[in-house]
Amino acid sequence: MKNIAKIVNVIHRLVEFVARGFFLFVAYLSGPAESQPPIKDLTLMHSATALALKIRKRQLSSEEVVKSYIDRIKEVQPILNCVTETRFEDALKEAKKCDELLASPNGPSAEVLAKEKPFFGVPFSTKDCIAVENMKQTGGLVARKDHRSDKDAETVRLMRLAGGIPIAKTNVSEVAMWWESTNYVFGTSKNPYNTRHIVGGSSGGEGCLQGAAGSPCGIGSDIGGSIRMPSFFNGVFGHKPSKGIVSNDGQFPNAETEDQHKLLAVGPMCRFAQDLGPMLEVLAGKNSDQLDLKRKVDISKLKVYYMEDDGGQILVSSVDPEIKESMRKVVTYLEKAYNIKAKKVNIRKFKKGLPLWFSCMATEPDKGFAFELSNRQGQINLIWEYLKWLSFTSNHTFVALITATFERFNFSHGSETQIKLKKECTELQQEFKDMLGDDGIFLFPTHPTAAPLHYEPLVKPFNFSYTAIINVLGLPATACPLGLNQQGLPIGIQVVGGLYQDRVTIAVAEELQRGFGGWVPPAVVE
């Protein structure tokens, strides 16, 4: 069996090599590579929490900040195509009201705002799948291209309550189930560091907008890596919270089963690690007490474990040497800075990461991906849709049709195989609980490669397993950028903590930002 797996992986590596050459040729034919324009407005270089402080102290007006981000979105959108809809006029009106409230004699003090409205006057963005009142919520489906939400998702409501101002919604993959953000409603989003490369998915447009300094902070969701992969590909920070902490209310598509609900998490995405904790505290609402986010973390007392790869899972790419090297640099940094002796481990069940995740994603036969593609109005006819796709008349992307097709070969909900795999999931969760406790972290690649070329995920569809297995665990995980590779594309790792120890992974993210620089901005023109 091992020999067969090795042969399959060798063949897969060969296919990857040939396909990369082909997709590179296609990329050259499509025109020259571009990247995000330089930053001309230094307001864009502040963290969301710094902006909130400056607004509270009247060093900047909310209207000035919102205008700066409107100008930046208008500048990057024609190049990157990451934004699906804006609310510039309404955002400016809300910003003016913030400024008027601050200027009024009976307005709240800076101290009161810091406590009750920590993001007062600060714009934020969110992925298309998360509802914002009166804005489109398509999920990348043509059948929903005109659908508008009648109320905010719970996370958006909480951000507004904290003083935040929604400014834009961002692109996703079709029905949020692929790791390249492309659909037939809004098109394909492009990487801010090199437009020939992808932005990830499904929160890909959000990761792209953050990487391009088009928003101070944003909201993403993650069922198999949809926050962490886009954060990794676009060089920003992203946090998948502990299971059950942040409300999933107001998403499309929402979770169909209790297992899916446990996999799915809504969380913050931002350029600066110091924004993660304050944002998560807002998004968690009444559950934030479980996280004790303000309690200081003594990094020198942490136990650190790591793996450089998943042990060789079948049909998954090998980890790029530069990503492995970045992992070693982090291990060395923690040892020199805090005298931490990191332990390299071998979690054997990680080689079954894909089957374990698919077992948790299993639904009833009539509630699968073909059901979602119909906008939950029955089932699409796959044969007919393939014929329409060949004649350029289908409303669905090829990868969506492929996903719906192969889902039919997935484990049946309630089958003996699924039950067995679910048991192994429980065993893996216990293994991590025993290993990490309340003071341990696990360092793991966020993805085996830097951002692939457009369409390249078609030949490496299972590479999302590096993030998906962490969803199975239900643990908090923070994607941390660690600079650019030799091709100028972002790379990094994810930091995983014990259940409800989100403050630990965020504290480590802040430390890695200090040690490695975090987000790499474009040139700044003063």
Side-chain angles (χ1 to χ4, degrees), residues 176-192:
M177 284 298 290
W178 184 238
W179 52 280
E180 176 168 11
S181 289
T182 184
N183 57 70
Y184 286 160
V185 183
F186 301 111
T188 301
S189 297
K190 300 175 182 179
N191 194 285

mmCIF file of all heavy atoms in Angstrom, residues 176-192:
data_model
loop_
_atom_site.group_PDB
_atom_site.id
_atom_site.type_symbol
_atom_site.label_atom_id
_atom_site.label_comp_id
_atom_site.label_asym_id
_atom_site.label_seq_id
_atom_site.Cartn_x
_atom_site.Cartn_y
_atom_site.Cartn_z
ATOM 1 N N ALA A 176 -18.474 29.422 -1.845
ATOM 2 C CA ALA A 176 -17.449 29.418 -0.788
ATOM 3 C C ALA A 176 -16.793 28.057 -0.572
ATOM 4 O O ALA A 176 -16.358 27.756 0.535
ATOM 5 C CB ALA A 176 -18.053 29.916 0.528
ATOM 6 N N MET A 177 -16.705 27.243 -1.640
ATOM 7 C CA MET A 177 -16.154 25.899 -1.458
ATOM 8 C C MET A 177 -15.000 25.603 -2.408
ATOM 9 O O MET A 177 -14.877 24.503 -2.923
ATOM 10 C CB MET A 177 -17.263 24.861 -1.629
ATOM 11 C CG MET A 177 -18.187 24.757 -0.430
ATOM 12 S SD MET A 177 -17.338 24.247 1.080
ATOM 13 C CE MET A 177 -16.958 22.539 0.673
ATOM 14 N N TRP A 178 -14.144 26.588 -2.615
ATOM 15 C CA TRP A 178 -12.933 26.356 -3.413
ATOM 16 C C TRP A 178 -11.888 27.350 -2.963
ATOM 17 O O TRP A 178 -12.212 28.399 -2.407
ATOM 18 C CB TRP A 178 -13.239 26.498 -4.901
ATOM 19 C CG TRP A 178 -12.094 26.201 -5.836
ATOM 20 C CD1 TRP A 178 -11.550 27.044 -6.761
ATOM 21 C CD2 TRP A 178 -11.370 24.975 -5.940
ATOM 22 N NE1 TRP A 178 -10.533 26.428 -7.445
ATOM 23 C CE2 TRP A 178 -10.397 25.144 -6.959
ATOM 24 C CE3 TRP A 178 -11.428 23.752 -5.286
ATOM 25 C CZ2 TRP A 178 -9.494 24.134 -7.324
ATOM 26 C CZ3 TRP A 178 -10.534 22.745 -5.648
ATOM 27 C CH2 TRP A 178 -9.599 22.939 -6.658
ATOM 28 N N TRP A 179 -10.624 27.047 -3.192
ATOM 29 C CA TRP A 179 -9.589 27.934 -2.668
ATOM 30 C C TRP A 179 -8.961 28.848 -3.721
ATOM 31 O O TRP A 179 -7.849 29.319 -3.552
ATOM 32 C CB TRP A 179 -8.551 27.159 -1.860
ATOM 33 C CG TRP A 179 -7.896 25.973 -2.473
ATOM 34 C CD1 TRP A 179 -8.391 24.714 -2.579
ATOM 35 C CD2 TRP A 179 -6.572 25.916 -3.005
ATOM 36 N NE1 TRP A 179 -7.469 23.876 -3.152
ATOM 37 C CE2 TRP A 179 -6.337 24.586 -3.421
ATOM 38 C CE3 TRP A 179 -5.550 26.848 -3.167
ATOM 39 C CZ2 TRP A 179 -5.133 24.176 -3.992
ATOM 40 C CZ3 TRP A 179 -4.352 26.445 -3.732
ATOM 41 C CH2 TRP A 179 -4.157 25.122 -4.136
ATOM 42 N N GLU A 180 -9.739 29.149 -4.765
ATOM 43 C CA GLU A 180 -9.442 30.296 -5.623
ATOM 44 C C GLU A 180 -10.724 31.112 -5.741
ATOM 45 O O GLU A 180 -11.788 30.568 -6.042
ATOM 46 C CB GLU A 180 -8.964 29.894 -7.016
ATOM 47 C CG GLU A 180 -8.770 31.127 -7.896
ATOM 48 C CD GLU A 180 -8.019 30.884 -9.204
ATOM 49 O OE1 GLU A 180 -7.800 29.713 -9.559
ATOM 50 O OE2 GLU A 180 -7.661 31.879 -9.848
ATOM 51 N N SER A 181 -10.632 32.407 -5.500
ATOM 52 C CA SER A 181 -11.834 33.262 -5.509
ATOM 53 C C SER A 181 -12.170 33.686 -6.932
ATOM 54 O O SER A 181 -11.665 34.689 -7.446
ATOM 55 C CB SER A 181 -11.626 34.484 -4.608
ATOM 56 O OG SER A 181 -11.626 34.089 -3.266
ATOM 57 N N THR A 182 -13.043 32.888 -7.537
ATOM 58 C CA THR A 182 -13.506 33.170 -8.889
ATOM 59 C C THR A 182 -14.937 32.675 -9.014
ATOM 60 O O THR A 182 -15.305 31.647 -8.436
ATOM 61 C CB THR A 182 -12.599 32.499 -9.941
ATOM 62 O OG1 THR A 182 -13.018 32.860 -11.254
ATOM 63 C CG2 THR A 182 -12.609 30.981 -9.815
ATOM 64 N N ASN A 183 -15.767 33.424 -9.721
ATOM 65 C CA ASN A 183 -17.155 33.040 -9.943
ATOM 66 C C ASN A 183 -17.675 33.790 -11.156
ATOM 67 O O ASN A 183 -16.993 34.663 -11.704
ATOM 68 C CB ASN A 183 -18.002 33.329 -8.701
ATOM 69 C CG ASN A 183 -17.928 34.784 -8.280
ATOM 70 O OD1 ASN A 183 -18.457 35.661 -8.960
ATOM 71 N ND2 ASN A 183 -17.256 35.048 -7.156
ATOM 72 N N TYR A 184 -18.871 33.457 -11.604
ATOM 73 C CA TYR A 184 -19.446 34.081 -12.795
ATOM 74 C C TYR A 184 -20.289 35.316 -12.476
ATOM 75 O O TYR A 184 -20.932 35.869 -13.364
ATOM 76 C CB TYR A 184 -20.281 33.063 -13.572
ATOM 77 C CG TYR A 184 -19.457 32.032 -14.319
ATOM 78 C CD1 TYR A 184 -20.017 30.822 -14.723
ATOM 79 C CD2 TYR A 184 -18.125 32.262 -14.614
ATOM 80 C CE1 TYR A 184 -19.267 29.871 -15.414
ATOM 81 C CE2 TYR A 184 -17.363 31.326 -15.294
ATOM 82 C CZ TYR A 184 -17.937 30.135 -15.685
ATOM 83 O OH TYR A 184 -17.192 29.203 -16.371
ATOM 84 N N VAL A 185 -20.268 35.745 -11.224
ATOM 85 C CA VAL A 185 -20.953 36.988 -10.861
ATOM 86 C C VAL A 185 -19.959 38.150 -10.884
ATOM 87 O O VAL A 185 -20.210 39.192 -11.486
ATOM 88 C CB VAL A 185 -21.606 36.887 -9.468
ATOM 89 C CG1 VAL A 185 -22.373 38.176 -9.144
ATOM 90 C CG2 VAL A 185 -22.540 35.691 -9.387
ATOM 91 N N PHE A 186 -18.801 37.943 -10.251
ATOM 92 C CA PHE A 186 -17.838 39.041 -10.091
ATOM 93 C C PHE A 186 -16.481 38.777 -10.747
ATOM 94 O O PHE A 186 -15.629 39.665 -10.758
ATOM 95 C CB PHE A 186 -17.625 39.334 -8.601
ATOM 96 C CG PHE A 186 -18.889 39.707 -7.886
ATOM 97 C CD1 PHE A 186 -19.453 38.850 -6.946
ATOM 98 C CD2 PHE A 186 -19.528 40.898 -8.149
ATOM 99 C CE1 PHE A 186 -20.623 39.193 -6.276
ATOM 100 C CE2 PHE A 186 -20.703 41.248 -7.494
ATOM 101 C CZ PHE A 186 -21.254 40.394 -6.558
ATOM 102 N N GLY A 187 -16.262 37.575 -11.262
ATOM 103 C CA GLY A 187 -14.992 37.298 -11.917
ATOM 104 C C GLY A 187 -13.929 36.791 -10.955
ATOM 105 O O GLY A 187 -14.232 36.274 -9.866
ATOM 106 N N THR A 188 -12.663 36.972 -11.322
ATOM 107 C CA THR A 188 -11.521 36.411 -10.592
ATOM 108 C C THR A 188 -10.726 37.505 -9.904
ATOM 109 O O THR A 188 -10.393 38.526 -10.515
ATOM 110 C CB THR A 188 -10.592 35.651 -11.559
ATOM 111 O OG1 THR A 188 -11.330 34.607 -12.194
ATOM 112 C CG2 THR A 188 -9.392 35.060 -10.831
ATOM 113 N N SER A 189 -10.419 37.295 -8.649
ATOM 114 C CA SER A 189 -9.566 38.246 -7.913
ATOM 115 C C SER A 189 -8.101 37.887 -8.126
ATOM 116 O O SER A 189 -7.752 36.711 -8.319
ATOM 117 C CB SER A 189 -9.902 38.219 -6.424
ATOM 118 O OG SER A 189 -11.239 38.635 -6.218
ATOM 119 N N LYS A 190 -7.232 38.900 -8.045
ATOM 120 C CA LYS A 190 -5.813 38.722 -8.376
ATOM 121 C C LYS A 190 -4.931 39.138 -7.212
ATOM 122 O O LYS A 190 -5.223 40.093 -6.501
ATOM 123 C CB LYS A 190 -5.480 39.539 -9.626
ATOM 124 C CG LYS A 190 -6.301 39.127 -10.843
ATOM 125 C CD LYS A 190 -6.046 40.038 -12.041
ATOM 126 C CE LYS A 190 -6.916 39.641 -13.223
ATOM 127 N NZ LYS A 190 -6.705 40.543 -14.392
ATOM 128 N N ASN A 191 -3.827 38.435 -7.074
ATOM 129 C CA ASN A 191 -2.931 38.632 -5.935
ATOM 130 C C ASN A 191 -2.267 40.010 -5.976
ATOM 131 O O ASN A 191 -1.765 40.422 -7.015
ATOM 132 C CB ASN A 191 -1.859 37.541 -5.927
ATOM 133 C CG ASN A 191 -1.113 37.477 -4.625
ATOM 134 O OD1 ASN A 191 -0.273 38.316 -4.331
ATOM 135 N ND2 ASN A 191 -1.413 36.466 -3.827
ATOM 136 N N PRO A 192 -2.264 40.741 -4.847
ATOM 137 C CA PRO A 192 -1.693 42.088 -4.842
ATOM 138 C C PRO A 192 -0.184 42.136 -5.058
ATOM 139 O O PRO A 192 0.354 43.193 -5.401
ATOM 140 C CB PRO A 192 -2.069 42.629 -3.459
ATOM 141 C CG PRO A 192 -2.316 41.429 -2.621
ATOM 142 C CD PRO A 192 -2.867 40.394 -3.555
#
